Amino acid sequence: VKSKMSGLYQVYSVLFHKFPKPLHTPIRSLRPSPETCEQCHWPEKFFGSQLKVFSYYAADEANTASQVRLLLHTGGGSASSGAATGIHWHINPENEVSFVSTDDKRQVIPWVLQKEKNGNVTEYFSRETPINQEELAKATRRRMECVDCHNRPSHIFGSPNRSLNDAFLTGRLDQGIPYLKQQSLELLSAEYANTPDALQAIAKGLESYYRTNYAEIFRTKEASIRNAITVVQGVYSANMFPEMKVDWRTHADNIGHFNFNGCFRCHDGQHFSREGKAIRNDCNLCHTVQDQQLGQATMLPLKGQSFQHPIELPDFSNAKCIECHGANGN
């Protein structure tokens, strides 16, 4: 009934243009993730660590590439699969993490409570955004759930920087065009009254820049430059909506901490218990950097190595795994 009532109001809002611009998030009436997401994405599942590769391109003449490879400690776990570890420790049913936010976007968190399986309770108070006991008593306490970090699982608006990095990595933008990252960033970061104006400004801006400053490159790479115009216009159209007053900055994305505080809302080293214990902001809690490369980025970041069997086997190179490990093996 509640869902149908909400739907009727949404129909009314669309028909008579009563919806706010931008739309407000988070949605207060959203069903809790244990009743939705966790019916399939169960928090007890153990994932361990997963390789994550981040590729970046600098806003310099060469659009210089760099890459960071790290192990993301997704973690998880339960009493049956082992102690809960990693990032998903926060929402494991055996742990209970609650918090209070003092803004309507849940970005300022002055108080955190941790309740352990054995019943021990620890309260953490922010020294940067303090809250007194009277305010705490009146505040709404929220038990942490999936959407407090995965708050943008869809309708993702990428930043210009991230979107351009992806376009370079996948070959949609030509890294050989000088200052392409810099010029594209400037055009994507400008304010426009509407989308048609933005697309026109991007086309005019890039063409004019290369005709004026790199006439020879424009002559030899005109097709690549015109393709770049199309790609950059696509980035704008997918992530910026001036008519709705929405762009990548409007709604915070709490996964990670690159464009928004995300993890650092609590893991800032400024939340302390009465005993002086801090919520750690140790980077290695969530990820471990494996390798960094400056000056290059590739879609295939790891060079393959030959598998070494733990037991020496004759003619191992022609053997099939199932000969020993299959249903009829030893």
Side-chain angles (χ1 to χ4, degrees), residues 165-190:
N165 286 339
D166 290 344
F168 276 112
L169 181 65
T170 55
R172 290 178 292 135
L173 289 178
D174 183 352
Q175 193 180 348
I177 301 174
Y179 290 112
L180 181 55
K181 175 73 176 292
Q182 180 195 85
Q183 294 303 308
S184 299
L185 275 177
E186 288 184 6
L187 289 164
L188 289 171
S189 301

mmCIF file with all atom_site columns, all heavy atoms in Angstrom, residues 165-190:
data_model
loop_
_atom_site.group_PDB
_atom_site.id
_atom_site.type_symbol
_atom_site.label_atom_id
_atom_site.label_alt_id
_atom_site.label_comp_id
_atom_site.label_asym_id
_atom_site.label_entity_id
_atom_site.label_seq_id
_atom_site.pdbx_PDB_ins_code
_atom_site.Cartn_x
_atom_site.Cartn_y
_atom_site.Cartn_z
_atom_site.occupancy
_atom_site.B_iso_or_equiv
_atom_site.pdbx_formal_charge
_atom_site.auth_seq_id
_atom_site.auth_comp_id
_atom_site.auth_asym_id
_atom_site.auth_atom_id
_atom_site.pdbx_PDB_model_num
ATOM 1   N N   . ASN A 1 165 ? 39.511 9.263  -18.120 1.00 0.00 ? 165 ASN A N   1
ATOM 2   C CA  . ASN A 1 165 ? 40.481 8.184  -17.907 1.00 0.00 ? 165 ASN A CA  1
ATOM 3   C C   . ASN A 1 165 ? 40.009 6.901  -18.581 1.00 0.00 ? 165 ASN A C   1
ATOM 4   O O   . ASN A 1 165 ? 40.782 6.204  -19.250 1.00 0.00 ? 165 ASN A O   1
ATOM 5   C CB  . ASN A 1 165 ? 40.676 7.939  -16.414 1.00 0.00 ? 165 ASN A CB  1
ATOM 6   C CG  . ASN A 1 165 ? 41.488 9.020  -15.734 1.00 0.00 ? 165 ASN A CG  1
ATOM 7   O OD1 . ASN A 1 165 ? 42.238 9.754  -16.392 1.00 0.00 ? 165 ASN A OD1 1
ATOM 8   N ND2 . ASN A 1 165 ? 41.359 9.136  -14.429 1.00 0.00 ? 165 ASN A ND2 1
ATOM 9   N N   . ASP A 1 166 ? 38.749 6.570  -18.390 1.00 0.00 ? 166 ASP A N   1
ATOM 10  C CA  . ASP A 1 166 ? 38.200 5.347  -18.996 1.00 0.00 ? 166 ASP A CA  1
ATOM 11  C C   . ASP A 1 166 ? 38.232 5.431  -20.524 1.00 0.00 ? 166 ASP A C   1
ATOM 12  O O   . ASP A 1 166 ? 38.499 4.441  -21.203 1.00 0.00 ? 166 ASP A O   1
ATOM 13  C CB  . ASP A 1 166 ? 36.764 5.122  -18.517 1.00 0.00 ? 166 ASP A CB  1
ATOM 14  C CG  . ASP A 1 166 ? 36.687 4.735  -17.044 1.00 0.00 ? 166 ASP A CG  1
ATOM 15  O OD1 . ASP A 1 166 ? 37.728 4.348  -16.480 1.00 0.00 ? 166 ASP A OD1 1
ATOM 16  O OD2 . ASP A 1 166 ? 35.589 4.825  -16.465 1.00 0.00 ? 166 ASP A OD2 1
ATOM 17  N N   . ALA A 1 167 ? 37.949 6.612  -21.052 1.00 0.00 ? 167 ALA A N   1
ATOM 18  C CA  . ALA A 1 167 ? 37.924 6.781  -22.505 1.00 0.00 ? 167 ALA A CA  1
ATOM 19  C C   . ALA A 1 167 ? 39.326 6.624  -23.102 1.00 0.00 ? 167 ALA A C   1
ATOM 20  O O   . ALA A 1 167 ? 39.492 6.029  -24.174 1.00 0.00 ? 167 ALA A O   1
ATOM 21  C CB  . ALA A 1 167 ? 37.337 8.143  -22.865 1.00 0.00 ? 167 ALA A CB  1
ATOM 22  N N   . PHE A 1 168 ? 40.335 7.142  -22.412 1.00 0.00 ? 168 PHE A N   1
ATOM 23  C CA  . PHE A 1 168 ? 41.714 6.952  -22.882 1.00 0.00 ? 168 PHE A CA  1
ATOM 24  C C   . PHE A 1 168 ? 42.106 5.476  -22.797 1.00 0.00 ? 168 PHE A C   1
ATOM 25  O O   . PHE A 1 168 ? 42.701 4.921  -23.726 1.00 0.00 ? 168 PHE A O   1
ATOM 26  C CB  . PHE A 1 168 ? 42.685 7.789  -22.045 1.00 0.00 ? 168 PHE A CB  1
ATOM 27  C CG  . PHE A 1 168 ? 42.824 9.215  -22.490 1.00 0.00 ? 168 PHE A CG  1
ATOM 28  C CD1 . PHE A 1 168 ? 42.348 10.253 -21.704 1.00 0.00 ? 168 PHE A CD1 1
ATOM 29  C CD2 . PHE A 1 168 ? 43.438 9.528  -23.690 1.00 0.00 ? 168 PHE A CD2 1
ATOM 30  C CE1 . PHE A 1 168 ? 42.479 11.570 -22.105 1.00 0.00 ? 168 PHE A CE1 1
ATOM 31  C CE2 . PHE A 1 168 ? 43.573 10.846 -24.108 1.00 0.00 ? 168 PHE A CE2 1
ATOM 32  C CZ  . PHE A 1 168 ? 43.092 11.868 -23.312 1.00 0.00 ? 168 PHE A CZ  1
ATOM 33  N N   . LEU A 1 169 ? 41.783 4.840  -21.674 1.00 0.00 ? 169 LEU A N   1
ATOM 34  C CA  . LEU A 1 169 ? 42.197 3.452  -21.460 1.00 0.00 ? 169 LEU A CA  1
ATOM 35  C C   . LEU A 1 169 ? 41.604 2.519  -22.503 1.00 0.00 ? 169 LEU A C   1
ATOM 36  O O   . LEU A 1 169 ? 42.273 1.604  -22.983 1.00 0.00 ? 169 LEU A O   1
ATOM 37  C CB  . LEU A 1 169 ? 41.778 2.996  -20.053 1.00 0.00 ? 169 LEU A CB  1
ATOM 38  C CG  . LEU A 1 169 ? 42.161 1.564  -19.670 1.00 0.00 ? 169 LEU A CG  1
ATOM 39  C CD1 . LEU A 1 169 ? 43.673 1.410  -19.592 1.00 0.00 ? 169 LEU A CD1 1
ATOM 40  C CD2 . LEU A 1 169 ? 41.519 1.168  -18.347 1.00 0.00 ? 169 LEU A CD2 1
ATOM 41  N N   . THR A 1 170 ? 40.363 2.754  -22.869 1.00 0.00 ? 170 THR A N   1
ATOM 42  C CA  . THR A 1 170 ? 39.683 1.876  -23.827 1.00 0.00 ? 170 THR A CA  1
ATOM 43  C C   . THR A 1 170 ? 39.924 2.284  -25.278 1.00 0.00 ? 170 THR A C   1
ATOM 44  O O   . THR A 1 170 ? 39.352 1.675  -26.189 1.00 0.00 ? 170 THR A O   1
ATOM 45  C CB  . THR A 1 170 ? 38.165 1.856  -23.545 1.00 0.00 ? 170 THR A CB  1
ATOM 46  O OG1 . THR A 1 170 ? 37.662 3.201  -23.555 1.00 0.00 ? 170 THR A OG1 1
ATOM 47  C CG2 . THR A 1 170 ? 37.873 1.233  -22.193 1.00 0.00 ? 170 THR A CG2 1
ATOM 48  N N   . GLY A 1 171 ? 40.761 3.309  -25.495 1.00 0.00 ? 171 GLY A N   1
ATOM 49  C CA  . GLY A 1 171 ? 41.112 3.690  -26.848 1.00 0.00 ? 171 GLY A CA  1
ATOM 50  C C   . GLY A 1 171 ? 40.113 4.576  -27.550 1.00 0.00 ? 171 GLY A C   1
ATOM 51  O O   . GLY A 1 171 ? 40.253 4.851  -28.749 1.00 0.00 ? 171 GLY A O   1
ATOM 52  N N   . ARG A 1 172 ? 39.098 5.047  -26.837 1.00 0.00 ? 172 ARG A N   1
ATOM 53  C CA  . ARG A 1 172 ? 38.120 5.935  -27.474 1.00 0.00 ? 172 ARG A CA  1
ATOM 54  C C   . ARG A 1 172 ? 38.674 7.339  -27.652 1.00 0.00 ? 172 ARG A C   1
ATOM 55  O O   . ARG A 1 172 ? 38.184 8.112  -28.469 1.00 0.00 ? 172 ARG A O   1
ATOM 56  C CB  . ARG A 1 172 ? 36.822 5.962  -26.650 1.00 0.00 ? 172 ARG A CB  1
ATOM 57  C CG  . ARG A 1 172 ? 36.051 4.645  -26.725 1.00 0.00 ? 172 ARG A CG  1
ATOM 58  C CD  . ARG A 1 172 ? 34.803 4.684  -25.874 1.00 0.00 ? 172 ARG A CD  1
ATOM 59  N NE  . ARG A 1 172 ? 35.108 4.728  -24.451 1.00 0.00 ? 172 ARG A NE  1
ATOM 60  C CZ  . ARG A 1 172 ? 34.528 5.536  -23.583 1.00 0.00 ? 172 ARG A CZ  1
ATOM 61  N NH1 . ARG A 1 172 ? 33.611 6.407  -23.992 1.00 0.00 ? 172 ARG A NH1 1
ATOM 62  N NH2 . ARG A 1 172 ? 34.846 5.485  -22.301 1.00 0.00 ? 172 ARG A NH2 1
ATOM 63  N N   . LEU A 1 173 ? 39.677 7.699  -26.851 1.00 0.00 ? 173 LEU A N   1
ATOM 64  C CA  . LEU A 1 173 ? 40.390 8.966  -27.014 1.00 0.00 ? 173 LEU A CA  1
ATOM 65  C C   . LEU A 1 173 ? 41.836 8.669  -27.381 1.00 0.00 ? 173 LEU A C   1
ATOM 66  O O   . LEU A 1 173 ? 42.448 7.747  -26.831 1.00 0.00 ? 173 LEU A O   1
ATOM 67  C CB  . LEU A 1 173 ? 40.328 9.795  -25.727 1.00 0.00 ? 173 LEU A CB  1
ATOM 68  C CG  . LEU A 1 173 ? 38.977 10.406 -25.358 1.00 0.00 ? 173 LEU A CG  1
ATOM 69  C CD1 . LEU A 1 173 ? 39.079 11.155 -24.045 1.00 0.00 ? 173 LEU A CD1 1
ATOM 70  C CD2 . LEU A 1 173 ? 38.463 11.333 -26.460 1.00 0.00 ? 173 LEU A CD2 1
ATOM 71  N N   . ASP A 1 174 ? 42.364 9.455  -28.296 1.00 0.00 ? 174 ASP A N   1
ATOM 72  C CA  . ASP A 1 174 ? 43.723 9.271  -28.796 1.00 0.00 ? 174 ASP A CA  1
ATOM 73  C C   . ASP A 1 174 ? 44.711 9.961  -27.864 1.00 0.00 ? 174 ASP A C   1
ATOM 74  O O   . ASP A 1 174 ? 44.731 11.194 -27.759 1.00 0.00 ? 174 ASP A O   1
ATOM 75  C CB  . ASP A 1 174 ? 43.814 9.859  -30.212 1.00 0.00 ? 174 ASP A CB  1
ATOM 76  C CG  . ASP A 1 174 ? 45.179 9.644  -30.854 1.00 0.00 ? 174 ASP A CG  1
ATOM 77  O OD1 . ASP A 1 174 ? 46.107 9.173  -30.178 1.00 0.00 ? 174 ASP A OD1 1
ATOM 78  O OD2 . ASP A 1 174 ? 45.302 9.950  -32.061 1.00 0.00 ? 174 ASP A OD2 1
ATOM 79  N N   . GLN A 1 175 ? 45.538 9.160  -27.185 1.00 0.00 ? 175 GLN A N   1
ATOM 80  C CA  . GLN A 1 175 ? 46.510 9.722  -26.247 1.00 0.00 ? 175 GLN A CA  1
ATOM 81  C C   . GLN A 1 175 ? 47.557 10.574 -26.963 1.00 0.00 ? 175 GLN A C   1
ATOM 82  O O   . GLN A 1 175 ? 48.222 11.402 -26.337 1.00 0.00 ? 175 GLN A O   1
ATOM 83  C CB  . GLN A 1 175 ? 47.203 8.586  -25.480 1.00 0.00 ? 175 GLN A CB  1
ATOM 84  C CG  . GLN A 1 175 ? 48.001 9.058  -24.276 1.00 0.00 ? 175 GLN A CG  1
ATOM 85  C CD  . GLN A 1 175 ? 48.662 7.903  -23.551 1.00 0.00 ? 175 GLN A CD  1
ATOM 86  O OE1 . GLN A 1 175 ? 48.366 6.730  -23.794 1.00 0.00 ? 175 GLN A OE1 1
ATOM 87  N NE2 . GLN A 1 175 ? 49.578 8.219  -22.628 1.00 0.00 ? 175 GLN A NE2 1
ATOM 88  N N   . GLY A 1 176 ? 47.693 10.411 -28.276 1.00 0.00 ? 176 GLY A N   1
ATOM 89  C CA  . GLY A 1 176 ? 48.683 11.157 -29.037 1.00 0.00 ? 176 GLY A CA  1
ATOM 90  C C   . GLY A 1 176 ? 48.271 12.580 -29.369 1.00 0.00 ? 176 GLY A C   1
ATOM 91  O O   . GLY A 1 176 ? 49.064 13.341 -29.946 1.00 0.00 ? 176 GLY A O   1
ATOM 92  N N   . ILE A 1 177 ? 47.060 12.975 -29.011 1.00 0.00 ? 177 ILE A N   1
ATOM 93  C CA  . ILE A 1 177 ? 46.623 14.357 -29.237 1.00 0.00 ? 177 ILE A CA  1
ATOM 94  C C   . ILE A 1 177 ? 47.050 15.185 -28.030 1.00 0.00 ? 177 ILE A C   1
ATOM 95  O O   . ILE A 1 177 ? 46.576 14.955 -26.915 1.00 0.00 ? 177 ILE A O   1
ATOM 96  C CB  . ILE A 1 177 ? 45.104 14.449 -29.430 1.00 0.00 ? 177 ILE A CB  1
ATOM 97  C CG1 . ILE A 1 177 ? 44.663 13.599 -30.618 1.00 0.00 ? 177 ILE A CG1 1
ATOM 98  C CG2 . ILE A 1 177 ? 44.665 15.894 -29.615 1.00 0.00 ? 177 ILE A CG2 1
ATOM 99  C CD1 . ILE A 1 177 ? 43.159 13.521 -30.800 1.00 0.00 ? 177 ILE A CD1 1
ATOM 100 N N   . PRO A 1 178 ? 47.963 16.156 -28.193 1.00 0.00 ? 178 PRO A N   1
ATOM 101 C CA  . PRO A 1 178 ? 48.511 16.885 -27.032 1.00 0.00 ? 178 PRO A CA  1
ATOM 102 C C   . PRO A 1 178 ? 47.433 17.647 -26.260 1.00 0.00 ? 178 PRO A C   1
ATOM 103 O O   . PRO A 1 178 ? 46.522 18.236 -26.837 1.00 0.00 ? 178 PRO A O   1
ATOM 104 C CB  . PRO A 1 178 ? 49.530 17.843 -27.657 1.00 0.00 ? 178 PRO A CB  1
ATOM 105 C CG  . PRO A 1 178 ? 49.142 17.944 -29.099 1.00 0.00 ? 178 PRO A CG  1
ATOM 106 C CD  . PRO A 1 178 ? 48.539 16.620 -29.458 1.00 0.00 ? 178 PRO A CD  1
ATOM 107 N N   . TYR A 1 179 ? 47.576 17.579 -24.950 1.00 0.00 ? 179 TYR A N   1
ATOM 108 C CA  . TYR A 1 179 ? 46.708 18.304 -24.015 1.00 0.00 ? 179 TYR A CA  1
ATOM 109 C C   . TYR A 1 179 ? 45.229 17.964 -24.172 1.00 0.00 ? 179 TYR A C   1
ATOM 110 O O   . TYR A 1 179 ? 44.359 18.742 -23.772 1.00 0.00 ? 179 TYR A O   1
ATOM 111 C CB  . TYR A 1 179 ? 46.889 19.822 -24.152 1.00 0.00 ? 179 TYR A CB  1
ATOM 112 C CG  . TYR A 1 179 ? 48.224 20.318 -23.651 1.00 0.00 ? 179 TYR A CG  1
ATOM 113 C CD1 . TYR A 1 179 ? 49.167 20.835 -24.537 1.00 0.00 ? 179 TYR A CD1 1
ATOM 114 C CD2 . TYR A 1 179 ? 48.541 20.284 -22.294 1.00 0.00 ? 179 TYR A CD2 1
ATOM 115 C CE1 . TYR A 1 179 ? 50.405 21.298 -24.084 1.00 0.00 ? 179 TYR A CE1 1
ATOM 116 C CE2 . TYR A 1 179 ? 49.765 20.740 -21.835 1.00 0.00 ? 179 TYR A CE2 1
ATOM 117 C CZ  . TYR A 1 179 ? 50.692 21.242 -22.727 1.00 0.00 ? 179 TYR A CZ  1
ATOM 118 O OH  . TYR A 1 179 ? 51.911 21.695 -22.275 1.00 0.00 ? 179 TYR A OH  1
ATOM 119 N N   . LEU A 1 180 ? 44.923 16.796 -24.696 1.00 0.00 ? 180 LEU A N   1
ATOM 120 C CA  . LEU A 1 180 ? 43.512 16.441 -24.883 1.00 0.00 ? 180 LEU A CA  1
ATOM 121 C C   . LEU A 1 180 ? 42.805 16.286 -23.540 1.00 0.00 ? 180 LEU A C   1
ATOM 122 O O   . LEU A 1 180 ? 41.657 16.708 -23.386 1.00 0.00 ? 180 LEU A O   1
ATOM 123 C CB  . LEU A 1 180 ? 43.396 15.153 -25.700 1.00 0.00 ? 180 LEU A CB  1
ATOM 124 C CG  . LEU A 1 180 ? 41.972 14.670 -25.994 1.00 0.00 ? 180 LEU A CG  1
ATOM 125 C CD1 . LEU A 1 180 ? 41.155 15.755 -26.681 1.00 0.00 ? 180 LEU A CD1 1
ATOM 126 C CD2 . LEU A 1 180 ? 41.989 13.403 -26.850 1.00 0.00 ? 180 LEU A CD2 1
ATOM 127 N N   . LYS A 1 181 ? 43.478 15.686 -22.559 1.00 0.00 ? 181 LYS A N   1
ATOM 128 C CA  . LYS A 1 181 ? 42.860 15.540 -21.235 1.00 0.00 ? 181 LYS A CA  1
ATOM 129 C C   . LYS A 1 181 ? 42.601 16.919 -20.620 1.00 0.00 ? 181 LYS A C   1
ATOM 130 O O   . LYS A 1 181 ? 41.511 17.181 -20.094 1.00 0.00 ? 181 LYS A O   1
ATOM 131 C CB  . LYS A 1 181 ? 43.786 14.713 -20.323 1.00 0.00 ? 181 LYS A CB  1
ATOM 132 C CG  . LYS A 1 181 ? 43.333 14.577 -18.865 1.00 0.00 ? 181 LYS A CG  1
ATOM 133 C CD  . LYS A 1 181 ? 42.160 13.664 -18.711 1.00 0.00 ? 181 LYS A CD  1
ATOM 134 C CE  . LYS A 1 181 ? 41.768 13.451 -17.255 1.00 0.00 ? 181 LYS A CE  1
ATOM 135 N NZ  . LYS A 1 181 ? 42.751 12.687 -16.475 1.00 0.00 ? 181 LYS A NZ  1
ATOM 136 N N   . GLN A 1 182 ? 43.589 17.806 -20.692 1.00 0.00 ? 182 GLN A N   1
ATOM 137 C CA  . GLN A 1 182 ? 43.455 19.134 -20.098 1.00 0.00 ? 182 GLN A CA  1
ATOM 138 C C   . GLN A 1 182 ? 42.307 19.920 -20.722 1.00 0.00 ? 182 GLN A C   1
ATOM 139 O O   . GLN A 1 182 ? 41.457 20.478 -20.020 1.00 0.00 ? 182 GLN A O   1
ATOM 140 C CB  . GLN A 1 182 ? 44.761 19.910 -20.262 1.00 0.00 ? 182 GLN A CB  1
ATOM 141 C CG  . GLN A 1 182 ? 44.732 21.309 -19.685 1.00 0.00 ? 182 GLN A CG  1
ATOM 142 C CD  . GLN A 1 182 ? 45.894 22.145 -20.194 1.00 0.00 ? 182 GLN A CD  1
ATOM 143 O OE1 . GLN A 1 182 ? 45.819 22.743 -21.255 1.00 0.00 ? 182 GLN A OE1 1
ATOM 144 N NE2 . GLN A 1 182 ? 46.982 22.171 -19.434 1.00 0.00 ? 182 GLN A NE2 1
ATOM 145 N N   . GLN A 1 183 ? 42.271 19.971 -22.044 1.00 0.00 ? 183 GLN A N   1
ATOM 146 C CA  . GLN A 1 183 ? 41.242 20.752 -22.728 1.00 0.00 ? 183 GLN A CA  1
ATOM 147 C C   . GLN A 1 183 ? 39.848 20.165 -22.512 1.00 0.00 ? 183 GLN A C   1
ATOM 148 O O   . GLN A 1 183 ? 38.871 20.906 -22.335 1.00 0.00 ? 183 GLN A O   1
ATOM 149 C CB  . GLN A 1 183 ? 41.564 20.819 -24.230 1.00 0.00 ? 183 GLN A CB  1
ATOM 150 C CG  . GLN A 1 183 ? 42.831 21.581 -24.553 1.00 0.00 ? 183 GLN A CG  1
ATOM 151 C CD  . GLN A 1 183 ? 42.786 23.011 -24.020 1.00 0.00 ? 183 GLN A CD  1
ATOM 152 O OE1 . GLN A 1 183 ? 41.838 23.760 -24.269 1.00 0.00 ? 183 GLN A OE1 1
ATOM 153 N NE2 . GLN A 1 183 ? 43.803 23.391 -23.260 1.00 0.00 ? 183 GLN A NE2 1
ATOM 154 N N   . SER A 1 184 ? 39.760 18.845 -22.509 1.00 0.00 ? 184 SER A N   1
ATOM 155 C CA  . SER A 1 184 ? 38.462 18.196 -22.290 1.00 0.00 ? 184 SER A CA  1
ATOM 156 C C   . SER A 1 184 ? 37.962 18.461 -20.875 1.00 0.00 ? 184 SER A C   1
ATOM 157 O O   . SER A 1 184 ? 36.764 18.723 -20.663 1.00 0.00 ? 184 SER A O   1
ATOM 158 C CB  . SER A 1 184 ? 38.584 16.691 -22.536 1.00 0.00 ? 184 SER A CB  1
ATOM 159 O OG  . SER A 1 184 ? 38.978 16.430 -23.869 1.00 0.00 ? 184 SER A OG  1
ATOM 160 N N   . LEU A 1 185 ? 38.861 18.403 -19.899 1.00 0.00 ? 185 LEU A N   1
ATOM 161 C CA  . LEU A 1 185 ? 38.474 18.685 -18.516 1.00 0.00 ? 185 LEU A CA  1
ATOM 162 C C   . LEU A 1 185 ? 37.924 20.101 -18.374 1.00 0.00 ? 185 LEU A C   1
ATOM 163 O O   . LEU A 1 185 ? 36.915 20.314 -17.697 1.00 0.00 ? 185 LEU A O   1
ATOM 164 C CB  . LEU A 1 185 ? 39.676 18.500 -17.577 1.00 0.00 ? 185 LEU A CB  1
ATOM 165 C CG  . LEU A 1 185 ? 39.967 17.103 -17.060 1.00 0.00 ? 185 LEU A CG  1
ATOM 166 C CD1 . LEU A 1 185 ? 41.237 17.113 -16.214 1.00 0.00 ? 185 LEU A CD1 1
ATOM 167 C CD2 . LEU A 1 185 ? 38.805 16.561 -16.241 1.00 0.00 ? 185 LEU A CD2 1
ATOM 168 N N   . GLU A 1 186 ? 38.603 21.062 -18.985 1.00 0.00 ? 186 GLU A N   1
ATOM 169 C CA  . GLU A 1 186 ? 38.155 22.454 -18.878 1.00 0.00 ? 186 GLU A CA  1
ATOM 170 C C   . GLU A 1 186 ? 36.758 22.631 -19.462 1.00 0.00 ? 186 GLU A C   1
ATOM 171 O O   . GLU A 1 186 ? 35.899 23.300 -18.874 1.00 0.00 ? 186 GLU A O   1
ATOM 172 C CB  . GLU A 1 186 ? 39.150 23.370 -19.587 1.00 0.00 ? 186 GLU A CB  1
ATOM 173 C CG  . GLU A 1 186 ? 40.477 23.525 -18.847 1.00 0.00 ? 186 GLU A CG  1
ATOM 174 C CD  . GLU A 1 186 ? 41.398 24.522 -19.529 1.00 0.00 ? 186 GLU A CD  1
ATOM 175 O OE1 . GLU A 1 186 ? 40.959 25.172 -20.511 1.00 0.00 ? 186 GLU A OE1 1
ATOM 176 O OE2 . GLU A 1 186 ? 42.560 24.642 -19.089 1.00 0.00 ? 186 GLU A OE2 1
ATOM 177 N N   . LEU A 1 187 ? 36.518 22.017 -20.597 1.00 0.00 ? 187 LEU A N   1
ATOM 178 C CA  . LEU A 1 187 ? 35.218 22.161 -21.248 1.00 0.00 ? 187 LEU A CA  1
ATOM 179 C C   . LEU A 1 187 ? 34.119 21.432 -20.474 1.00 0.00 ? 187 LEU A C   1
ATOM 180 O O   . LEU A 1 187 ? 32.989 21.929 -20.372 1.00 0.00 ? 187 LEU A O   1
ATOM 181 C CB  . LEU A 1 187 ? 35.292 21.638 -22.681 1.00 0.00 ? 187 LEU A CB  1
ATOM 182 C CG  . LEU A 1 187 ? 36.108 22.519 -23.643 1.00 0.00 ? 187 LEU A CG  1
ATOM 183 C CD1 . LEU A 1 187 ? 36.451 21.759 -24.914 1.00 0.00 ? 187 LEU A CD1 1
ATOM 184 C CD2 . LEU A 1 187 ? 35.354 23.809 -23.974 1.00 0.00 ? 187 LEU A CD2 1
ATOM 185 N N   . LEU A 1 188 ? 34.442 20.265 -19.920 1.00 0.00 ? 188 LEU A N   1
ATOM 186 C CA  . LEU A 1 188 ? 33.444 19.504 -19.159 1.00 0.00 ? 188 LEU A CA  1
ATOM 187 C C   . LEU A 1 188 ? 33.147 20.141 -17.803 1.00 0.00 ? 188 LEU A C   1
ATOM 188 O O   . LEU A 1 188 ? 32.081 19.911 -17.228 1.00 0.00 ? 188 LEU A O   1
ATOM 189 C CB  . LEU A 1 188 ? 33.930 18.065 -18.951 1.00 0.00 ? 188 LEU A CB  1
ATOM 190 C CG  . LEU A 1 188 ? 33.930 17.177 -20.193 1.00 0.00 ? 188 LEU A CG  1
ATOM 191 C CD1 . LEU A 1 188 ? 34.646 15.854 -19.901 1.00 0.00 ? 188 LEU A CD1 1
ATOM 192 C CD2 . LEU A 1 188 ? 32.512 16.898 -20.666 1.00 0.00 ? 188 LEU A CD2 1
ATOM 193 N N   . SER A 1 189 ? 34.083 20.926 -17.288 1.00 0.00 ? 189 SER A N   1
ATOM 194 C CA  . SER A 1 189 ? 33.913 21.525 -15.954 1.00 0.00 ? 189 SER A CA  1
ATOM 195 C C   . SER A 1 189 ? 33.232 22.891 -16.003 1.00 0.00 ? 189 SER A C   1
ATOM 196 O O   . SER A 1 189 ? 32.900 23.445 -14.957 1.00 0.00 ? 189 SER A O   1
ATOM 197 C CB  . SER A 1 189 ? 35.281 21.657 -15.273 1.00 0.00 ? 189 SER A CB  1
ATOM 198 O OG  . SER A 1 189 ? 35.899 20.386 -15.142 1.00 0.00 ? 189 SER A OG  1
ATOM 199 N N   . ALA A 1 190 ? 33.043 23.435 -17.193 1.00 0.00 ? 190 ALA A N   1
ATOM 200 C CA  . ALA A 1 190 ? 32.394 24.745 -17.317 1.00 0.00 ? 190 ALA A CA  1
ATOM 201 C C   . ALA A 1 190 ? 30.897 24.638 -17.021 1.00 0.00 ? 190 ALA A C   1
ATOM 202 O O   . ALA A 1 190 ? 30.307 23.562 -17.090 1.00 0.00 ? 190 ALA A O   1
ATOM 203 C CB  . ALA A 1 190 ? 32.622 25.309 -18.717 1.00 0.00 ? 190 ALA A CB  1
#
